Amino acid sequence: MKEEAIPVAPSLELPEPDRTKRSYIRVFRISLQAVMNAVIIGFIARLLVALIHLITNISFYGRFSFEELSPAGNSLGWAVVLVPVAGGLIVGIMARLGSAAIRGHGIPEAMEQVLTNESRIKPIITWLKPLSAAISIGTGGPFGAEGPIIATGGAFGSLAGQIMRISPQERKVMLTAGATAGMAAIFGTPMAALLLAIELLLFEFSPRSVIPVALACATGTAMHYALFESGPVFPMPVVPAPGYTQMLWYVGMGLVIGVLAAGVSKSVYWIEDMFEHLPVHWMFWPAIGAVAVGAVGYFAPYTLGVGYDNITGLLSGSLPWKLVLGLCLLKFISWSVSLGSGTSGGTLAPLLTIGGATGLAMGMLIQQFFPESGLHLPTCALIGMAAMFAGAARALLTAIVFAFECTMQPHGLLPLMGACTGAYFVSFLLMRSSIMTEKIHRRGVATPDAYEPDVLRYMRVSEVMEPATGAVNKGPYVYAGSQLQLAMDLMARYNIERLPVVDPARKDEAIGELSAMMIFRAYSRQKQDGEQYQQAISLKRRGYRLWVSGRKWVR
């Protein structure tokens, strides 16, 4: 009997991704919503700064005023120690009764929601995060407003995405657009905010994601000009064009700061580990950490609060030795202990302050022993603050462009590139993760460290499935009942995120799909088996983040 031929469907010319009319409409819709969100986030940023000023005036000067004043001018004497403690206690209670997600500096929390929760953030974070941050900073916390507004903007964008009922990918774009619009609204740095999105939040570069985020960053910057100021955030003297001798010194300084950046990042999490061993509830940790803030603030009042004026002073290159060393060492102690305690605050301003003071101190030392070096002290402070950020946060392009946009010094770009690349290189060698990713790495969430294509994305179904039977023809796959180690090895070898699961009893017919998240969850439910659980953690650390789909077909 002649075997009947199996009809084969003709191949279809599929449109390229994101080229259809429907995709254009969706990108336009997301972009329009991102711009509208950025306008609202700009007002939220202005409200946050005003709230910080109000709480600062009430806490340190006993008056109801929105005037911008530094806590350094207070006359409270030893009682200044109690102000940060009171603020830390309030923040701890808010985290306990409201949401523990307000703890920390904002960016890692946003990254975790992007990677593990389909970019869904609880709506309560939209107002609880800025309020807790305003209390923390306004009572002397050594933080900046950028981390909280990034977290708040991300939460607002995520909320808008949940209301719109869009896909997880589009919701990720909305979250990122809101977060970076908040950063642009605070600093007026549109390109740096866009690069921050690409390096730390989006983990991709495509028109469907970059267009809405870029428009949100531009809108956030326009809101900065309208609500704050139009000039550079950190004005500084004109930076002269560097010669090759100066460039060698600047790159060398960047290498040294890279080592210090790794030490700073590890110190923060070492302190966090110490708090984990305290025999008290974590609700009280911010108040305990605030004791160090108040004690340091008693001897060095200039370490209290945001301290953007300190950054401007460092960039002038004219601060005395005592103040430079205080901003380098005492600010680090105050900030690291407070952040390690789990209070609400940002990392960018403290890193800029510590790095700027370190760069200026190194420049002053080099001038002292090598007067022929020809170093420009304001440039030393500039590259110091950017290199510290690049090394600690592992965000090279963001650090370079941010320092340029905040100062608008074109001759500073070359020293910035040399120093930041040196710091980034050393940090890459010394740290497995960055200050932004270590927290979520400890929770078993792996973050991408390279932009690599998924080989399955550009393969047609007909290239891996036989036409009539649905059997797997090409590409890696696993049988139902296979060992999980085999699946992990295949994922690593082919750099893929999903594996078809086939049934050999039915002519290798595909009956499901396996993801690394499924493997991780299966192991996580069996924590009593140490070896299997460690395998699951190892899989997560490899960077394979997959979504659960279908049923569990392997054991």
Side-chain angles (χ1 to χ4, degrees):
M1 180 177 180
K2 186 177 179 180
E3 185 176 344
E4 293 185 7
I6 300 175
V8 179
S11 64
L12 301 176
E13 290 295 328
L14 299 177
E16 295 183 14
D18 294 331
R19 298 294 187 190
T20 63
K21 181 178 179 180
R22 184 170 179 268
S23 68
Y24 288 140
I25 294 175
R26 293 190 69 86
V27 171
F28 176 79
R29 179 191 176 199
I30 297 298
S31 300
L32 183 61
Q33 186 64 49
V35 169
M36 295 171 59
N37 290 350
V39 173
I40 298 174
I41 292 167
F43 285 109
I44 294 176
R46 187 68 186 91
L47 180 62
L48 172 63
V49 172
L51 192 56
I52 292 173
H53 294 163
L54 174 63
I55 296 175
T56 300
N57 278 278
I58 294 174
S59 302
F60 292 95
Y61 301 101
R63 60 179 184 178
F64 190 94
S65 173
F66 292 96
E67 181 183 358
E68 182 179 358
L69 285 177
S70 170
N74 74 86
S75 56
L76 296 177
W78 64 267
V80 74
V81 179
L82 302 178
V83 177
V85 174
L89 184 60
I90 295 173
V91 171
I93 294 174
M94 292 175 66
R96 179 70 178 87
L97 300 180
S99 173
I102 66 172
R103 305 172 67 211
H105 48 98
I107 296 179
E109 289 73 19
M111 294 172 69
E112 183 175 16
Q113 297 307 310
V114 168
L115 292 170
T116 65
N117 197 31
E118 296 186 344
S119 302
R120 297 179 185 273
I121 299 180
K122 295 180 180 179
I124 192 175
I125 303 299
T126 306
W127 64 270
L128 202 57
K129 182 66 176 181
L131 180 59
S132 63
I135 294 173
S136 175
I137 299 171
T139 54
F143 305 107
E146 66 289 332
I149 195 60
I150 287 175
T152 303
F156 188 85
S158 174
L159 175 61
Q162 294 174 57
I163 294 174
M164 295 170 67
R165 298 184 180 277
I166 54 182
S167 69
Q169 167 64 30
E170 292 168 326
R171 189 161 51 247
K172 178 181 74 171
V173 174
M174 293 292 290
L175 184 154
T176 304
T180 52
M183 177 181 174
I186 290 290
F187 290 113
T189 53
M191 280 303 302
L194 177 60
L195 291 172
L196 179 78
I198 295 171
E199 292 188 303
L200 295 181
L201 291 172
L202 283 177
F203 308 114
E204 66 166 295
F205 187 89
S206 63
R208 64 178 179 176
S209 59
V210 170
I211 291 174
V213 174
L215 291 174
C217 292
T219 306
T221 304
M223 296 301 293
H224 172 84
Y225 293 154
L227 301 176
F228 293 96
E229 57 188 354
S230 58
V233 175
F234 304 131
M236 66 177 295
V238 176
V239 174
Y244 72 92
T245 305
Q246 290 80 31
M247 278 301 303
L248 291 176
W249 281 110
Y250 293 145
V251 173
M253 290 170 61
L255 294 173
V256 174
I257 292 174
V259 177
L260 298 177
V264 166
S265 302
K266 292 181 179 180
S267 298
V268 168
Y269 289 102
W270 177 81
I271 293 171
E272 186 174 295
D273 291 338
M274 294 301 101
F275 274 96
E276 293 283 350
H277 292 89
L278 291 179
V280 295
H281 194 278
W282 59 259
M283 176 178 67
F284 300 103
W285 295 354
I288 297 173
V291 174
V293 176
V296 172
Y298 174 73
F299 295 101
Y302 52 83
T303 61
L304 295 170
V306 175
Y308 290 149
D309 55 336
N310 291 331
I311 298 175
T312 303
L314 289 169
L315 291 173
S316 70
S318 58
L319 294 184
W321 261 106
K322 182 179 179 181
L323 188 58
V324 172
L325 291 178
L327 290 173
C328 182
L329 299 176
L330 298 180
K331 183 77 172 184
F332 165 69
I333 295 173
S334 175
W335 165 72
S336 59
V337 173
S338 186
L339 186 65
S341 70
T343 193
S344 180
T347 58
L348 183 52
L351 286 175
L352 297 179
T353 302
I354 297 167
T358 303
L360 182 57
M362 292 175 63
M364 296 167 75
L365 279 174
I366 294 172
Q367 277 195 347
Q368 182 72 26
F369 293 100
F370 302 95
E372 72 282 358
S373 62
L375 293 183
H376 184 241
L377 290 182
T379 304
C380 293
L382 176 66
I383 67 169
M385 73 180 203
M388 182 64 74
F389 179 55
R394 211 71 70 73
L396 174 63
L397 299 179
T398 302
I400 296 171
V401 176
F402 176 82
F404 168 71
E405 289 186 307
C406 283
T407 59
M408 298 307 293
Q409 296 294 326
H411 287 309
L413 278 173
L414 188 57
L416 284 170
M417 183 171 292
C420 290
T421 303
Y424 185 90
F425 174 71
V426 172
S427 169
F428 179 76
L429 294 179
L430 297 181
M431 292 196 302
R432 179 179 63 90
S433 54
S434 71
I435 197 171
M436 301 297 182
T437 61
E438 177 65 20
K439 178 177 291 187
I440 57 179
H441 276 175
R442 292 181 172 204
R443 298 171 183 168
V445 179
T447 55
D449 58 1
Y451 300 102
E452 299 176 349
D454 180 0
V455 296
L456 294 183
R457 180 178 179 183
Y458 300 101
M459 297 177 67
R460 297 177 184 273
V461 174
S462 60
E463 293 176 343
V464 295
M465 307 292 289
E466 290 183 356
T469 64
V472 174
N473 187 30
K474 301 178 183 178
Y477 59 91
V478 290
Y479 286 124
S482 298
Q483 294 293 323
L484 291 176
Q485 187 61 52
L486 173 62
M488 289 190 282
D489 291 342
L490 289 172
M491 289 177 183
R493 181 184 304 172
Y494 293 97
N495 188 31
I496 57 177
E497 296 185 344
R498 298 172 185 270
L499 281 175
V501 180
V502 303
D503 185 357
R506 289 189 282 175
K507 298 183 179 181
D508 289 347
E509 180 181 352
I511 56 175
E513 187 177 55
L514 174 68
S515 72
M517 183 64 75
M518 292 168 61
I519 298 174
F520 177 72
R521 291 185 176 180
Y523 280 150
S524 297
R525 289 192 294 269
Q526 304 174 15
K527 291 186 179 181
Q528 67 275 11
D529 189 328
E531 182 179 353
Q532 284 190 338
Y533 187 61
Q534 288 304 316
Q535 281 182 307
I537 294 296
S538 175
L539 176 63
K540 294 290 291 182
R541 287 177 177 173
R542 287 183 183 181
Y544 299 106
R545 179 181 62 83
L546 300 118
W547 304 110
V548 179
S549 60
R551 296 162 53 190
K552 296 190 295 293
W553 295 103
V554 300
R555 53 184 173 89

